[in-house]
Amino acid sequence: MHCNLTRVEMKIENTKAQMRKGVLEYCILSILKSGEAYPSEIIDKLKEAKLIVVEGTLYPLLTRLKNAGILTYRWEESKSGPPRKYYQLTKIGEEFLKELETTWNELVKAVKLTSK
Amino acid sequence: MNQTVTINISGIVFHIELDAYEDLKNYLNKIKSYFKNSEECEDIMSDIEARIAELFSEKMSDLNQVILRKDVDEVITIMGKPEQYIDEDSEEQHEAPRAEKRTNSTEKKFFRNPDERVLGGVASGIASYFGFDTIWARLFFVLTTLFVGFGPLLYIILWIVIPEAKTASDRLQMKGDPINIDNIGKTVQDEAGKVNEKLKNVNGSKIGHILERIFNGIIAVIKTIFKAAGKLIGAICLLFGLLFAVWFIMGLVDDSVIFSYTSEGITGIESSELFELMFATADQFYLFLICLIVVIVIPIIGLMFAGVKLLFGVKGNGAITISLSILWFIGLFAAITLGLKTASDQKSSQKEISSTYLSSTTDVIYLKASEKTIPGEVMLELDDFSLALDEKYLYSNEIELTIKESQTDSVEMIIETRSNGKNRKKALENVRSINYDFEVADSLIKFDEFLTTPRAQRMRNQSIRITLKLPLGKAVYLDESLNGLIYDIDNVTDTWDRKMIGEKWVMLPNGLTCLDCSEIDGIKTEDITAKIEKEKDELESAENE
């Protein structure tokens, strides 16, 4: 399937993926702003927002954010399955999110301004 | 009835159908290999496994205890394939497998075949590469061993240079099958089958197992020794390779070097022009030269490459190795063919004899070499042999002068002209094209010191043998200039040719005798003079009677 894409189509796909990737991190942090959550909850919200298609996308991102000190987690036993990791923002994460919010607002303005 | 397996994902136990299990395993392996280069691999895997366990748990109920293939498919759809992940490194990680695919394609490579081997799998590797049956490659090595003798050497070189097919993709490349998942899968399954068979055989007896372990231990020790020795041998190979290369390049610069090694004892050859004349045509000579260079250069390259390979563990390029080996054999074959052909041009040896009677009235005949020097450019000079060339002719001093007793009263000069040739006719043609001059002026004979032959006749061992037949009582004076001409002249005192010059020699019934030597080999002049007087008296008295 991929092989049949033309150059232009590939370029479009690539740009879309880049945009989504940038926004995805911001959205994950926004979800966690209101309190801790475990991956399935985050996934549900992201799917609802049509930001991700497959769940596998989330796990590497969470791991990298955690390793960057932006997120932290605690274990909690689950009745229906294996223990769950509940993620929450760290202090650095909160500051990071504030900066992202500013940047986002600037970007929205920029897009609005340029696309008028 | 379906077989089920029990698995543990994130600490939860599931029963899963065998097919479903295979699918799940493949899926997890795929993700793992996708993230294998990142530090977070472990974390990501455990998170993903936890999520999968969660999804499975949701599906399980009292009625539904077993995970089926469709459940795994659903989970995979939810989780997505690694290619679908939006990931920070996605571009890099997409590039890598693509590049790999390109190089792996269907290109054939030379590998030794470890599945089908007697010694090192060289023969079956060659057979796989060219796509014929292994038996022919083996037959080739056996025949070259029996009849030509280089088989074992070639085998060992190939064994060292060609890498063994170790992985499934190596094996496919060895056979030239395209490398894709299906084919690799097939090869891996074949292999698994083989391993199982082997295990069965070994498990048959405990002794077999112990023997195998001992054997493996010995092999490990030998391998270690060989690895250490390999480095040393590699260094030696490289050193010798470089030395030979230097020797060869110097030989190219000064072409005398090459040939002074090939033709024993000949030194100081100044040009290959002369060698060209040994061949039927100049083209054949240059072809022979090229073949000779190929036959010499390829082993030097091989030696250096083997050295580098052993020292630094560089992988060999099978295609180049086999091309060079083939080229070497072609070169060798052509050189031998040309050599044999050239030798056959000398097969027939013919001679012609001409005779001249000299009407000399004096008692003493004076023999001298003419003042003419050898024309053309001197190409080869040995102790008493020299060859010269100019544009049209070839000059050689292959001339022998000897003196024998004449059966008649007159002085007779017999000239024997000899030459080789491809056949009798060609040899005779060569004989007749030889030109040789001598001058007779009363009692003085002047001999040319060289014979002349047209260049077109090539070098075919042309030579002249002069026999001067001297009647009894006649004497010759051998001038100092004859040094290079006279050859093995019989005389009473067994005096050396070189010592005979500068003296007068008389033919007596016993043979040539020195007339006025002061002292030769312990015989005093008085004795000889007395002897001659005595013999003269006897001759006279015989005549008187």
Side-chain angles (χ1 to χ4, degrees):
Chain A
M1 272 251 291
H2 274 275
C3 310
N4 296 331
L5 292 179
T6 64
R7 247 159 194 256
V8 179
E9 280 171 327
M10 270 171 73
K11 172 79 184 138
I12 293 168
E13 286 302 313
N14 195 18
T15 311
K16 276 187 190 168
Q18 294 281 339
M19 284 174 136
R20 229 181 274 136
K21 193 162 76 181
V23 177
L24 193 57
E25 232 171 65
Y26 174 45
C27 292
I28 293 167
L29 297 181
S30 296
I31 293 166
L32 291 173
K33 193 185 169 187
S34 51
E36 57 177 13
Y38 70 97
S40 298
E41 290 174 330
I42 303 173
I43 284 163
D44 287 344
K45 281 196 177 163
L46 291 175
K47 274 188 172 173
E48 201 184 319
K50 290 186 178 166
L51 264 173
I52 61 168
V53 183
V54 294
E55 296 192 6
T57 305
L58 185 69
Y59 298 97
L61 268 174
L62 287 178
T63 308
R64 273 167 206 162
L65 288 169
K66 180 209 75 184
N67 286 349
I70 292 165
L71 295 182
T72 178
Y73 65 83
R74 61 178 182 84
W75 288 104
E76 197 177 293
E77 290 299 324
S78 158
K79 284 171 198 165
S80 60
R84 288 167 175 172
K85 273 179 180 173
Y86 275 83
Y87 284 93
Q88 64 183 59
L89 292 173
T90 60
K91 281 213 169 142
I92 304 169
E94 279 166 18
E95 275 166 40
F96 183 70
L97 179 59
K98 267 180 203 163
E99 273 182 47
L100 281 186
E101 276 166 352
T102 325
T103 315
W104 177 250
N105 289 334
E106 280 167 11
L107 282 174
V108 170
K109 271 183 208 162
V111 173
K112 269 186 184 167
L113 198 76
T114 49
S115 59
K116 247 177 197 173
Chain B
M1 195 185 79
N2 283 326
Q3 205 181 342
T4 60
V5 198
T6 309
I7 52 168
N8 174 344
I9 311 176
S10 274
I12 300 189
V13 173
F14 296 99
H15 299 290
I16 182 166
E17 273 194 349
L18 200 60
D19 297 348
Y21 166 70
E22 289 294 331
D23 289 353
L24 183 64
K25 197 174 73 181
N26 286 340
Y27 174 65
L28 288 175
N29 282 339
K30 219 163 151 191
I31 299 176
K32 206 170 190 174
S33 67
Y34 187 77
F35 289 112
K36 67 167 182 265
N37 293 325
S38 71
E39 295 164 25
E40 303 96 357
C41 181
E42 295 274 309
D43 277 345
I44 295 169
M45 285 313 292
S46 73
D47 283 356
I48 287 175
E49 280 179 18
R51 177 62 182 158
I52 290 172
E54 208 172 53
L55 288 170
F56 281 153
S57 308
E58 284 168 13
K59 285 181 187 300
M60 293 301 104
S61 62
D62 289 342
L63 284 173
N64 190 10
Q65 296 268 343
V66 174
I67 297 165
L68 306 175
R69 218 169 175 177
K70 75 168 176 39
D71 299 323
V72 173
D73 284 349
E74 274 172 36
V75 165
I76 290 175
T77 317
I78 293 169
M79 296 301 289
K81 296 202 168 94
E83 300 92 62
Q84 293 170 280
Y85 294 179
I86 302 168
D87 186 72
E88 286 180 29
D89 300 334
S90 61
E91 279 131 71
E92 297 162 37
Q93 292 188 341
H94 272 98
E95 285 301 315
R98 217 179 285 158
E100 217 170 281
K101 253 185 198 166
R102 209 175 298 143
T103 51
N104 280 353
S105 68
T106 60
E107 198 187 322
K108 251 189 191 185
K109 273 193 181 165
F110 234 109
F111 284 107
R112 286 184 287 114
N113 187 351
D115 302 332
E116 238 187 286
R117 65 166 165 204
V118 176
L119 288 171
V122 173
S124 55
I126 290 171
S128 293
Y129 186 81
F130 291 110
F132 51 76
D133 201 273
T134 311
I135 189 79
W136 299 111
R138 290 202 179 123
L139 200 65
F140 170 78
F141 281 112
V142 171
L143 289 180
T144 48
T145 305
L146 290 179
F147 297 109
V148 195
F150 58 73
L153 187 70
L154 179 72
Y155 193 93
I156 289 165
I157 290 169
L158 291 176
W159 197 346
I160 293 168
V161 173
I162 303 174
E164 189 185 71
K166 282 185 182 139
T167 66
S169 77
D170 284 353
R171 274 162 220 212
L172 289 172
Q173 275 187 304
M174 177 176 78
K175 288 169 187 157
D177 287 345
I179 296 176
N180 54 40
I181 299 291
D182 289 345
N183 272 331
I184 289 183
K186 207 179 119 216
T187 312
V188 169
Q189 270 172 12
D190 285 355
E191 202 169 329
K194 255 175 234 156
V195 170
N196 278 341
E197 267 171 45
K198 270 188 193 166
L199 282 178
K200 268 182 211 158
N201 293 340
V202 172
N203 283 345
S205 72
K206 276 195 173 177
I207 297 163
H209 197 65
I210 292 163
L211 277 179
E212 199 197 2
R213 290 181 96 185
I214 292 170
F215 188 66
N216 286 343
I218 293 168
I219 292 221
V221 170
I222 291 173
K223 268 190 181 167
T224 319
I225 293 169
F226 267 88
K227 262 187 193 166
K231 297 265 177 205
L232 186 69
I233 294 166
I236 292 169
C237 282
L238 195 59
L239 184 72
F240 272 90
L242 286 171
L243 280 176
F244 281 132
V246 168
W247 165 77
F248 182 75
I249 289 163
M250 280 168 62
L252 275 187
V253 175
D254 172 11
D255 63 353
S256 66
V257 177
I258 296 174
F259 293 104
S260 60
Y261 279 88
T262 52
S263 22
E264 275 181 16
I266 296 181
T267 50
I269 295 164
E270 303 210 328
S271 172
S272 56
E273 208 181 341
L274 204 67
F275 282 89
E276 184 214 302
L277 289 168
M278 300 212 299
F279 288 80
T281 63
D283 290 344
Q284 280 186 19
F285 167 70
Y286 290 115
L287 192 62
F288 181 76
L289 204 61
I290 289 166
C291 293
L292 210 60
I293 288 170
V294 164
V295 169
I296 294 168
V297 166
I298 288 177
I300 294 175
I301 293 173
L303 199 59
M304 289 203 289
F305 185 71
V308 171
K309 208 174 132 62
L310 284 170
L311 260 184
F312 309 110
V314 182
K315 258 200 170 183
N317 184 330
I320 290 179
T321 311
I322 199 73
S323 322
L324 286 181
S325 309
I326 290 170
L327 194 62
W328 188 80
F329 280 115
I330 293 171
L332 186 70
F333 181 73
I336 289 172
T337 311
L338 280 169
L340 288 177
K341 197 196 164 298
T342 304
S344 82
D345 282 348
Q346 310 265 0
K347 208 163 64 187
S348 174
S349 179
Q350 296 296 326
K351 63 178 174 185
E352 263 192 356
I353 296 166
S354 70
S355 157
T356 317
Y357 287 93
L358 304 176
S359 50
S360 169
T361 47
T362 51
D363 280 345
V364 180
I365 299 165
Y366 290 85
L367 304 182
K368 271 181 89 172
S370 78
E371 291 85 14
K372 282 188 258 176
T373 52
I374 196 160
E377 192 191 341
V378 176
M379 291 296 175
L380 176 67
E381 226 165 12
L382 285 174
D383 297 344
D384 51 1
F385 175 70
S386 59
L387 268 168
L389 275 180
D390 64 18
E391 278 168 20
K392 279 185 176 170
Y393 297 102
L394 175 71
Y395 307 96
S396 106
N397 70 343
E398 275 286 81
I399 295 160
E400 290 170 9
L401 170 64
T402 191
I403 298 168
K404 291 239 158 74
E405 191 188 328
S406 174
Q407 304 303 316
T408 62
D409 286 345
S410 44
V411 180
E412 187 189 0
M413 196 151 78
I414 297 163
I415 295 187
E416 216 177 285
T417 322
R418 295 163 183 265
S419 177
N420 293 344
K422 189 164 63 186
N423 47 39
R424 203 183 119 86
K425 194 179 156 225
K426 191 77 193 158
L428 274 177
E429 191 189 298
N430 289 337
V431 166
R432 279 165 200 155
S433 66
I434 296 171
N435 186 36
Y436 181 70
D437 284 336
F438 59 91
E439 250 178 77
V440 183
D442 198 24
S443 63
L444 176 66
I445 309 176
K446 279 185 181 175
F447 296 95
D448 273 6
E449 279 186 294
F450 55 89
L451 62 89
T452 308
T453 193
R455 261 179 96 135
Q457 247 43 58
R458 323 300 289 177
M459 261 172 71
R460 292 293 176 265
N461 201 20
Q462 290 92 339
S463 63
I464 300 270
R465 191 177 166 85
I466 308 163
T467 312
L468 190 75
K469 292 216 160 180
L470 206 60
L472 281 176
K474 286 256 184 190
V476 285
Y477 174 75
L478 302 175
D479 190 78
E480 308 265 359
S481 61
L482 287 175
N483 195 4
L485 281 173
I486 57 171
Y487 179 79
D488 203 14
I489 301 178
D490 285 336
N491 61 73
V492 177
T493 42
D494 280 339
T495 307
W496 274 20
D497 292 338
R498 300 253 158 110
K499 286 197 174 169
M500 287 178 76
I501 55 174
E503 306 288 354
K504 274 185 194 144
W505 295 79
V506 64
M507 184 58 79
L508 294 179
N510 289 350
L512 267 186
T513 313
C514 192
L515 257 182
D516 42 18
C517 296
S518 52
E519 188 176 340
I520 288 174
D521 294 348
I523 298 173
K524 282 182 182 149
T525 318
E526 299 92 76
D527 300 344
I528 298 168
T529 321
K531 209 175 168 188
I532 292 167
E533 292 298 321
K534 199 182 157 199
E535 278 175 10
K536 263 188 181 171
D537 288 346
E538 277 170 13
L539 273 173
E540 275 165 18
S541 57
E543 274 171 23
N544 289 342
E545 278 167 20

